[in-house]
Amino acid sequence: MNFTINGQSFEAEPDIRTSLLDLCREHLGLTGSKKGCDHGQCGACTMLVNGRRINSCLSLAVMHQDDEIVTIEGLGTPDDLHPLQSAFVRHDGYQCGYCTPGQICSAAGMLDEVRKGWASHVSGDLDKPKFDDEEISERMSGNLCRCAAYPNIVDAIREVAEAEGVVDIALRHKAEVGA
């Protein structure tokens, strides 16, 4: 089977019951994504598949042969960090670091959702979305941090969202689609 992960093609023949997380970690040596609960409850295994964030521990690898998969290794490099990785460092958005890869992948997917104008459970006004700490926390609620670095994680995400003009993009998108 052929998989496209972080822009590279990989050949693997995993058992059909192998999760995407286990394919990456055990068969391909991409160990950045972590196995936390193995039940889809903690978010440590979050990856981006075709731009959408998923819990890779719950998704079978064979389902993703034709997909574009991005793990934490594909977001940035030590010499060229992704803006979220840099912001997590600046804001100390990690303590033990175990959940950090999933937090960063989830945040990247979440910011893309906001750019597209997608609402969350706490979006009070669907025509004029706001992007405050409550909104960030709700959208990131599937990613748990045992060290409780949540305020720092929110600060890091807010910094990147503001720097990239994510809220302005979301508002323009709503106006363009006539929502």
Side-chain angles (χ1 to χ4, degrees):
M1 289 182 242
N2 189 39
F3 298 91
T4 303
I5 304 173
N6 302 328
Q8 292 185 286
S9 183
F10 291 91
E11 288 286 330
E13 293 299 328
D15 182 285
I16 61 169
R17 299 168 291 181
T18 301
S19 70
L20 180 58
L21 176 63
D22 288 340
L23 171 77
C24 289
R25 290 185 60 79
E26 296 175 17
H27 297 270
L28 304 178
L30 298 169
T31 58
S33 301
K34 304 300 184 217
K35 184 179 282 196
C37 66
D38 210 20
H39 295 288
Q41 297 175 349
C42 73
C45 67
T46 303
M47 294 179 189
L48 300 171
V49 176
N50 297 328
R52 303 275 313 263
R53 51 191 172 152
I54 68 162
N55 291 325
S56 63
C57 72
L58 296 180
S59 192
L60 296 174
V62 297
M63 298 167 53
H64 300 290
Q65 291 181 72
D66 297 322
D67 293 337
E68 292 290 326
I69 301 161
V70 177
T71 67
I72 190 68
E73 292 95 341
L75 286 181
T77 66
D79 295 328
D80 186 24
L81 295 176
H82 184 278
L84 282 163
Q85 292 169 317
S86 295
F88 267 65
V89 170
R90 272 192 306 284
H91 290 277
D92 195 24
Y94 56 89
Q95 287 180 25
C96 79
Y98 197 82
C99 73
T100 305
Q103 295 276 359
I104 291 173
C105 283
S106 187
M110 182 263 300
L111 290 176
D112 190 50
E113 293 166 8
V114 173
R115 282 184 199 96
K116 293 175 179 173
W118 295 0
S120 79
H121 288 347
V122 296
S123 297
D125 186 344
L126 300 181
D127 294 324
K128 296 179 183 176
K130 61 181 182 172
F131 195 65
D132 58 11
D133 290 357
E134 182 183 19
E135 184 77 20
I136 294 170
S137 294
E138 168 62 26
R139 290 176 182 265
M140 292 294 293
S141 64
N143 291 81
L144 304 180
C145 173
R146 288 179 177 235
C147 302
Y150 294 115
N152 304 4
I153 292 168
V154 169
D155 290 346
I157 294 169
R158 186 180 346 94
E159 177 187 299
V160 173
E162 289 171 357
E164 294 181 357
V166 170
V167 176
D168 295 334
I169 292 168
L171 289 170
R172 280 196 309 272
H173 177 77
K174 287 267 186 205
E176 290 169 4
V177 297

